[in-house]
Amino acid sequence: MSDQTTSQQERVDLPISGMTCASCANRIERKLNKLDGVSATVNYATETATVAFDPQAVAAGELVDAVEAAGYRTSLASTAGDESSPEPPDETDALRTRLRISLALMLPVLAIAMIEPLQFDNWQWLSLTLASPIVIWGALPFHQAAWTNFKHATATMDTLVSVGVISAYLWSLYALFIGDAGMPDMRMKLSFSASGSDEIYLEVAAAVTVFVLAGRYFESKAKRRAGAALTALLELGAKDVAVLDESGSETRIPIEQLKAGDRFIVRPGEKVATDGVVEDGSGAVDQSLLTGESVPVEKQPGDEVVGASVNAGGRLVVRATRVGADTALAQIAQLVSDAQTGKAPVQRLADRVSGIFVPVVIVLAVATLGFWIGSGESTAFAFTAAVSVLIIACPCALGLATPTALLVGTGRGAQLGLLIKGPEILESTRKVDTIVLDKTGTVTSGKMSLTDVVTAEATDRTELLRIAGALEDASEHPIARAIAVAAEAETGPLPAVESFVSRAGLGVEGIALGRGAQIGGERLLKDWGLAMPAEIEAAKRRAESSGRTAVLIAWDGAVRGMLVVADTVKPSSAEAVANLKKLGLRPVLLTGDNTGTANAVAAEVGIDEVIAQVLPADKASVIARLQSEGRVVAMVGDGVNDAPALAQADLGLAIGTGTDVAIEASDLTLVSGDLRAAGDAIRLSRATLRTIKQNLAWAFGYNLAALPLAAAGLLNPLIAGLAMAFSSISVVANALRLRRFRSSYNAGRIGG
């Protein structure tokens, strides 16, 4: 998946294989960034390098050469214009096989070494026979990576593991073949080893290999689970499609061959092949994959449908409008991928530390060896402490702390219809204290609806609605459409209209059900010399004082009633505002409408602060003024005129049912259009940031505590190896807890 980052630059995503810890990612990143015109970010968790480069300064092939020169493997699997995401090779199965065989060989070695009654004559030779395949074959990935690193004059976690395992093995060989009779006492504090097994460390070499393999296997498996949401998104689309030609004949073709403008059929139970407009047929379409809403949406000719949504009932003929990388699903996947491959500000310290971590640990191990020998301790004690230092150090936890949390958090957000544009957004959600809500289309539906019908004495409500609906159905005015739709929904098919006349700015006239009727404002009725009954006049004042629009209807020379039309508040808006307040946010309603309408809407949803009669061009200025007061401001909007305000805000949230311009200007996109999603997006972003900080605290804390203990000779290498493996697994496991994040109103559908 690629796009243009600037007018001169191109972007390529390179799948990287061979990375084993954060030091690897850091080294590849430095190597790429040394090239002219290149800006690269390497993500250890996703095993991907995202590279922006100037094609006039460097060729794409040189990027591959740079990665391979660093000792890793890659290919141009995703270049500009590709729709597919790079998929690094999955080494989980190979790790599982290596782990199972090594574990089976290690268990008797460990048991014999630790349980003295099992130690028969010359048991050490059986241990050597069983441990040797583990050290040579089981630990081969570590040795190979360490050798590659050595050739490139670098060191990674594999270097630490390989040196530690080989040192323990070679020491054991020395003890067995040369110094067995005269070896000094090797008993370690807190050692698992029983007396009699102290002279060899074969169980250490075998167990450490198995522990690290287990950690690598579970880490690989967990990383795949962490990225499952994006994988699920990419796999949701239809694989083939039934296309109609000019003669109406149907041909099924692969989805890749579908072009914009093609007409295709969607039968009940099938996926919509791509974004398009319904041309014929009707039916309910399940859009939960994009909106998180479980209730299917009725679609009629002229309605838009999105690719990968499911036709729940009814045959649809759809004309394709967007295909491939331009579809809503592909763009969502691109947003999620961009967020996952980016780096949060809190990761920079971890990157700097992981870049020098391994060399520092090697120096510390050598210093530990020299210190204990110089202090008069036995060589065995000094050697064991040094090996423990090598084995217990874990740069992987530092490298995984941020990207795994981002991977899971952004993926879970995609499942719930909450799209986080990038990792830097997370910090903004923590600091926000004020949230500005655009009224029309955000708090309200943005569409006029009939909210009340007031009838004069002796007037039948059904008759009034049928006459009003018939006349308004002949008009294209938004208020007229609202009345016509509501009337037809309540009374059934509308009657025919004769002698229809539209009077601009006043209303409409015509004959329906044999009645010569007039419908419109007070000026139209005055033209006809009609007076309003007192009860209708009072109801009209009440409606207008609350910001609603009153439409009067008369026939046979008398005013018969009034229809009240308004941009209705979304049913979920009051709950959404309450949720935002619980998050410690101060809601502000922003609108271009008059103060009366704005105050009425604000009162209905529970907002105390209202800024009304604001021109579209001035919305950004309002945000800037609030910021000048010391507030950290989030803005929720959906229209073109909201884009400057969304960009000005510290955190911009776009309603996904709004315009592309607003979505582009925002930091978070709420695909469903439900305002409650704003609270969910902020909660998820804060939870993701909290998880990142927990992971970093654990990763730094673990190494700061473990290394001194190992250097002090207080940790047996077995414990060190187990702790090191657990360190990486615990970071990934903590990040995976974000998969349990639940929406306040919908748990989501994809993988949820």
Side-chain angles (χ1 to χ4, degrees):
M1 296 182 295
S2 308
D3 55 14
Q4 295 288 324
T5 54
T6 72
S7 58
Q8 290 80 32
Q9 288 194 313
E10 293 181 3
R11 180 181 123 163
V12 61
D13 293 341
L14 300 175
I16 308 292
S17 57
M19 289 194 297
T20 55
C21 70
S23 299
C24 300
N26 195 278
R27 181 148 60 92
I28 297 170
E29 192 170 291
R30 290 201 308 269
K31 196 86 171 178
L32 286 169
N33 285 325
K34 286 180 180 178
L35 299 174
D36 291 337
V38 171
S39 174
T41 299
V42 180
N43 190 310
Y44 171 50
T46 59
E47 299 175 335
T48 304
T50 301
V51 188
F53 67 100
D54 182 353
Q56 295 181 349
V58 61
E62 293 180 65
L63 305 176
V64 175
D65 294 340
V67 173
E68 292 179 345
Y72 302 89
R73 299 180 301 281
T74 188
S75 63
L76 289 171
S78 176
T79 55
D82 275 356
E83 299 166 20
S84 59
S85 174
E87 186 66 28
D90 189 356
E91 300 175 352
T92 307
D93 291 342
L95 279 170
R96 181 170 58 240
T97 300
R98 199 177 293 270
L99 172 61
R100 284 175 174 174
I101 295 173
S102 298
L103 178 62
L105 294 172
M106 181 272 288
L107 288 175
V109 175
L110 190 61
I112 295 172
M114 294 175 60
I115 304 172
E116 193 168 353
L118 298 179
Q119 295 171 2
F120 52 88
D121 289 344
N122 297 318
W123 60 269
Q124 296 92 336
W125 302 107
L126 175 61
S127 292
L128 178 63
T129 302
L130 295 174
S132 294
I134 302 174
V135 172
I136 297 169
W137 175 79
L140 185 61
F142 312 132
H143 303 325
Q144 288 175 329
W147 176 246
T148 300
N149 294 331
F150 176 75
K151 289 191 295 183
H152 290 86
T154 59
T156 65
M157 175 188 162
D158 291 287
T159 306
L160 302 180
V161 174
S162 180
V163 170
V165 168
I166 290 174
S167 298
Y169 184 72
L170 292 178
W171 181 274
S172 300
L173 293 180
Y174 170 80
L176 281 170
F177 290 99
I178 299 174
D180 187 47
M183 291 297 295
D185 180 23
M186 299 182 191
R187 188 173 291 108
M188 293 288 296
K189 300 169 186 176
L190 300 181
S191 173
F192 281 151
S193 300
S195 59
S197 68
D198 291 292
E199 296 180 353
I200 60 174
Y201 278 126
L202 290 171
E203 76 276 13
V204 170
V208 166
T209 299
V210 169
F211 291 156
V212 178
L213 279 174
R216 191 71 55 83
Y217 167 69
F218 288 116
E219 176 188 311
S220 175
K221 194 174 179 181
K223 284 196 294 184
R224 294 292 165 183
R225 287 178 63 198
L230 181 56
T231 303
L233 275 175
L234 294 171
E235 293 177 350
L236 277 172
K239 302 298 184 286
D240 53 35
V241 56
V243 177
L244 292 175
D245 60 22
E246 294 299 327
S247 65
S249 299
E250 180 182 330
T251 306
R252 190 161 287 275
I253 63 172
I255 189 67
E256 294 80 13
Q257 297 178 14
L258 185 67
K259 302 184 295 294
D262 286 348
R263 296 167 70 242
F264 61 91
I265 296 173
V266 189
R267 293 182 172 84
E270 288 185 340
K271 292 179 180 178
V272 178
T274 192
D275 297 359
V277 176
V278 177
E279 288 199 343
D280 185 37
S282 62
V285 175
D286 181 356
Q287 301 182 150
S288 58
L289 72 103
L290 287 174
T291 66
E293 297 290 347
S294 57
V295 180
V297 179
E298 290 293 332
K299 297 293 183 180
Q300 306 288 340
D303 290 341
E304 293 185 353
V305 289
V306 290
S309 56
V310 179
N311 183 9
R315 180 181 181 274
L316 301 176
V317 176
V318 179
R319 183 174 295 278
T321 55
R322 293 187 292 187
V323 297
D326 295 328
T327 64
L329 180 64
Q331 290 173 359
I332 287 173
Q334 180 67 65
L335 279 172
V336 176
S337 178
D338 288 346
Q340 291 180 348
T341 55
K343 290 192 177 183
V346 291
Q347 190 179 349
R348 292 172 188 151
L349 176 61
D351 283 349
R352 287 197 296 270
V353 171
S354 63
I356 61 170
F357 186 88
V358 174
V360 168
V361 169
I362 292 174
V363 170
L364 179 60
V366 173
T368 299
L369 180 68
F371 172 80
W372 286 119
I373 291 176
S375 300
E377 286 284 355
S378 67
T379 304
F381 182 91
F383 165 79
T384 307
V387 169
S388 295
V389 169
L390 290 172
I391 291 172
I392 203 166
C394 188
C396 288
L398 286 170
L400 289 168
T402 297
T404 50
L406 277 176
L407 199 63
V408 181
T410 54
R412 184 59 182 146
Q415 292 173 337
L416 297 172
L418 314 172
L419 304 183
I420 304 169
K421 269 200 176 175
E424 66 282 352
I425 306 305
L426 303 178
E427 284 285 354
S428 300
T429 62
R430 181 179 63 84
K431 299 173 183 176
V432 165
D433 54 34
T434 300
I435 185 162
V436 176
L437 308 175
D438 175 59
K439 182 182 76 70
T440 305
T442 301
V443 176
T444 66
S445 64
K447 297 178 181 178
M448 303 301 283
S449 301
L450 181 65
T451 61
D452 196 13
V453 178
V454 180
T455 58
E457 187 177 352
T459 300
D460 180 69
R461 173 188 171 95
T462 300
E463 182 182 22
L464 183 146
L465 277 173
R466 284 175 62 76
I467 294 173
L471 265 66
E472 296 289 37
D473 192 42
S475 172
E476 292 300 322
H477 193 282
I479 292 177
R481 298 307 309 151
I483 293 173
V485 169
E488 185 172 14
E490 183 172 331
T491 67
L494 299 172
V497 176
E498 300 174 10
S499 305
F500 176 80
V501 177
S502 176
R503 300 183 60 184
L506 297 177
V508 298
E509 302 167 2
I511 300 173
L513 295 178
R515 309 280 193 179
Q518 303 81 38
I519 181 168
E522 191 172 356
R523 286 173 55 196
L524 178 64
L525 300 186
K526 286 182 178 179
D527 278 359
W528 283 83
L530 301 175
M532 279 188 290
E535 67 272 21
I536 299 295
E537 189 171 4
K540 180 176 180 291
R541 284 198 301 270
R542 288 194 300 271
E544 291 178 342
S545 67
S546 62
R548 295 179 292 171
T549 300
V551 179
L552 301 167
I553 181 169
W555 66 76
D556 294 345
V559 176
R560 302 295 178 171
M562 180 185 72
L563 302 105
V564 180
V565 179
D567 177 9
T568 54
V569 171
K570 292 179 181 178
S572 60
S573 290
E575 181 185 344
V577 170
N579 290 341
L580 292 170
K581 288 181 177 179
K582 288 178 184 177
L583 291 171
L585 302 176
R586 180 179 175 183
V588 177
L589 186 68
L590 179 65
T591 179
D593 279 352
N594 62 71
T595 303
T597 300
N599 286 334
V601 171
E604 187 173 346
V605 299
I607 297 177
D608 299 322
E609 187 173 350
V610 177
I611 303 174
Q613 295 178 300
V614 178
L615 295 174
D618 295 335
K619 288 185 177 182
S621 300
V622 171
I623 301 297
R625 176 171 60 79
L626 293 173
Q627 291 170 326
S628 69
E629 295 171 3
R631 303 198 208 181
V632 181
V633 181
M635 166 76 185
V636 186
D638 75 323
V640 172
N641 56 29
D642 295 327
L646 289 169
Q648 173 66 40
D650 299 285
L651 179 69
L653 297 91
I655 296 290
T657 51
T659 65
D660 291 341
V661 176
I663 293 170
E664 185 64 30
S666 68
D667 303 309
L668 290 163
T669 300
L670 317 176
V671 180
S672 69
D674 192 313
L675 187 56
R676 288 175 294 185
D680 288 341
I682 292 173
R683 282 197 304 118
L684 176 60
S685 297
R686 289 179 175 180
T688 304
L689 181 64
R690 185 165 58 248
T691 300
I692 288 173
K693 291 185 174 181
Q694 289 170 350
N695 282 353
L696 286 172
W698 163 253
F700 278 112
Y702 162 82
N703 283 291
L704 288 173
L707 286 171
L709 288 174
L714 298 175
L715 291 178
N716 179 277
L718 282 176
I719 301 175
L722 189 60
M724 186 272 292
F726 174 75
S727 177
S728 293
I729 295 172
S730 63
V731 165
V732 178
N734 188 45
L736 286 173
R737 291 189 307 117
L738 287 168
R739 298 176 78 207
R740 300 200 297 267
F741 179 90
R742 288 291 179 264
S743 164
S744 61
Y745 64 100
N746 191 304
R749 293 290 296 275
I750 305 171

